[in-house]
Short mmCIF file of all heavy atoms in Angstrom, two decimals:
data_model
loop_
_atom_site.label_atom_id
_atom_site.label_comp_id
_atom_site.label_asym_id
_atom_site.label_seq_id
_atom_site.Cartn_x
_atom_site.Cartn_y
_atom_site.Cartn_z
N PHE Q 282 -3.23 16.99 13.56
CA PHE Q 282 -2.24 16.05 13.41
C PHE Q 282 -1.21 16.01 14.57
O PHE Q 282 -0.75 17.04 15.12
CB PHE Q 282 -1.29 16.34 12.04
CG PHE Q 282 -0.12 15.50 11.88
CD1 PHE Q 282 -0.35 14.21 11.15
CD2 PHE Q 282 1.11 15.71 12.35
CE1 PHE Q 282 0.80 13.38 10.95
CE2 PHE Q 282 2.19 14.94 12.22
CZ PHE Q 282 1.98 13.76 11.45
N GLN Q 284 2.43 13.70 15.62
CA GLN Q 284 3.19 12.55 15.38
C GLN Q 284 3.01 11.36 16.24
O GLN Q 284 2.76 11.45 17.44
CB GLN Q 284 4.87 12.85 15.61
CG GLN Q 284 5.35 13.82 14.63
CD GLN Q 284 5.57 13.17 13.24
OE1 GLN Q 284 5.34 12.15 13.01
NE2 GLN Q 284 6.03 14.09 12.31
N TYR Q 294 12.82 16.26 15.42
CA TYR Q 294 12.78 17.74 15.45
C TYR Q 294 14.14 18.16 15.88
O TYR Q 294 14.61 19.33 15.43
CB TYR Q 294 11.80 18.17 16.57
CG TYR Q 294 10.32 17.89 16.26
CD1 TYR Q 294 9.26 18.15 17.15
CD2 TYR Q 294 9.92 17.37 14.97
CE1 TYR Q 294 7.93 17.93 16.76
CE2 TYR Q 294 8.66 17.20 14.57
CZ TYR Q 294 7.63 17.44 15.57
OH TYR Q 294 6.35 17.12 15.24
N TYR Q 313 3.27 23.54 6.69
CA TYR Q 313 2.59 22.28 7.02
C TYR Q 313 2.86 22.06 8.44
O TYR Q 313 3.27 20.99 8.97
CB TYR Q 313 3.11 21.11 6.28
CG TYR Q 313 3.01 21.32 4.79
CD1 TYR Q 313 4.08 21.82 4.02
CD2 TYR Q 313 1.81 20.85 4.02
CE1 TYR Q 313 4.00 21.90 2.66
CE2 TYR Q 313 1.76 21.01 2.63
CZ TYR Q 313 2.84 21.55 2.00
OH TYR Q 313 2.79 21.58 0.57
N CYS Q 314 2.46 23.14 9.33
CA CYS Q 314 2.96 23.14 10.71
C CYS Q 314 2.16 22.32 11.66
O CYS Q 314 2.56 22.17 12.85
CB CYS Q 314 3.08 24.51 11.16
SG CYS Q 314 1.61 25.46 11.41
N GLY Q 315 0.98 21.86 11.25
CA GLY Q 315 0.16 21.15 12.28
C GLY Q 315 -0.22 22.04 13.46
O GLY Q 315 -0.57 23.14 13.38
N THR Q 318 4.26 22.30 16.15
CA THR Q 318 5.24 21.56 16.90
C THR Q 318 6.58 21.93 16.51
O THR Q 318 7.41 22.24 17.39
CB THR Q 318 5.02 20.09 16.82
OG1 THR Q 318 4.65 19.81 15.44
CG2 THR Q 318 3.84 19.63 17.71
N ILE Q 319 6.99 21.74 15.28
CA ILE Q 319 8.37 21.96 14.81
C ILE Q 319 8.89 23.46 15.06
O ILE Q 319 9.78 23.68 15.74
CB ILE Q 319 8.64 21.59 13.36
CG1 ILE Q 319 8.26 20.17 13.06
CG2 ILE Q 319 10.08 21.85 13.00
CD1 ILE Q 319 8.53 19.54 11.75
N GLU Q 334 -0.77 26.17 8.09
CA GLU Q 334 -1.38 24.81 8.12
C GLU Q 334 -2.92 24.95 7.67
O GLU Q 334 -3.48 25.99 7.87
CB GLU Q 334 -1.38 24.43 9.64
CG GLU Q 334 -2.41 23.33 10.01
CD GLU Q 334 -2.13 22.01 9.45
OE1 GLU Q 334 -0.96 21.63 9.35
OE2 GLU Q 334 -3.13 21.39 9.08
N ILE Q 335 -3.31 23.85 6.96
CA ILE Q 335 -4.63 23.90 6.40
C ILE Q 335 -5.77 23.56 7.26
O ILE Q 335 -6.85 23.98 7.01
CB ILE Q 335 -4.60 22.98 5.02
CG1 ILE Q 335 -5.72 23.49 4.08
CG2 ILE Q 335 -4.81 21.64 5.34
CD1 ILE Q 335 -5.45 23.06 2.65
N ILE Q 336 -5.56 22.85 8.32
CA ILE Q 336 -6.72 22.50 9.19
C ILE Q 336 -6.85 23.55 10.25
O ILE Q 336 -6.06 23.81 11.09
CB ILE Q 336 -6.39 21.18 10.00
CG1 ILE Q 336 -6.10 20.00 8.92
CG2 ILE Q 336 -7.53 20.80 10.85
CD1 ILE Q 336 -7.30 19.49 8.14
N GLY Q 360 -4.28 27.86 5.99
CA GLY Q 360 -4.50 28.00 4.46
C GLY Q 360 -3.56 26.94 3.87
O GLY Q 360 -2.83 26.26 4.59
N ASP Q 361 -3.83 26.89 2.59
CA ASP Q 361 -2.93 26.01 1.81
C ASP Q 361 -1.52 26.52 1.65
O ASP Q 361 -1.40 27.78 1.66
CB ASP Q 361 -3.57 25.91 0.42
CG ASP Q 361 -2.52 25.37 -0.55
OD1 ASP Q 361 -2.16 24.19 -0.34
OD2 ASP Q 361 -2.15 26.04 -1.54
N ALA Q 362 -0.58 25.73 1.87
CA ALA Q 362 0.80 26.15 2.11
C ALA Q 362 1.26 27.00 0.80
O ALA Q 362 1.93 27.98 1.05
CB ALA Q 362 1.78 24.92 2.29
N ASP Q 382 6.98 20.21 5.98
CA ASP Q 382 6.74 18.81 6.54
C ASP Q 382 5.34 18.37 5.96
O ASP Q 382 4.37 18.22 6.71
CB ASP Q 382 6.70 18.90 8.11
CG ASP Q 382 6.51 17.58 8.72
OD1 ASP Q 382 6.54 16.51 7.94
OD2 ASP Q 382 6.25 17.53 9.93
N PRO Q 384 2.29 16.23 3.92
CA PRO Q 384 1.74 14.84 4.02
C PRO Q 384 2.39 14.01 2.83
O PRO Q 384 3.28 14.50 2.12
CB PRO Q 384 0.16 15.02 3.77
CG PRO Q 384 0.03 16.39 3.24
CD PRO Q 384 1.25 17.19 3.52
N1 SAH O 501 4.75 19.63 11.10
C1 SAH O 501 3.68 19.03 11.80
C2 SAH O 501 2.54 18.42 11.01
C3 SAH O 501 3.08 17.55 9.89
S1 SAH O 501 1.96 16.52 9.10
C4 SAH O 501 4.14 18.03 12.91
O1 SAH O 501 5.24 17.57 12.85
O2 SAH O 501 3.43 17.74 13.79
C5 SAH O 501 1.45 17.54 7.70
C6 SAH O 501 0.47 18.66 8.07
O3 SAH O 501 0.22 19.29 6.85
C7 SAH O 501 -0.88 18.19 8.64
O4 SAH O 501 -1.12 18.85 9.80
C8 SAH O 501 -1.88 18.58 7.45
O5 SAH O 501 -3.07 18.99 8.02
C9 SAH O 501 -1.14 19.70 6.74
N2 SAH O 501 -1.54 19.88 5.39
C10 SAH O 501 -1.85 18.96 4.43
N3 SAH O 501 -2.22 19.62 3.22
C11 SAH O 501 -1.75 20.97 3.49
C12 SAH O 501 -1.67 22.06 2.55
N4 SAH O 501 -2.16 21.97 1.28
N5 SAH O 501 -1.35 23.25 3.09
C13 SAH O 501 -0.96 23.30 4.35
N6 SAH O 501 -0.96 22.29 5.29
C14 SAH O 501 -1.38 21.15 4.82
#
Side-chain angles (χ1 to χ4, degrees):
F282 176 89
Q284 290 286 1
Y294 294 175
Y313 306 90
C314 70
T318 42
I319 299 185
E334 157 66 41
I335 204 161
I336 302 286
D361 165 60
D382 183 9

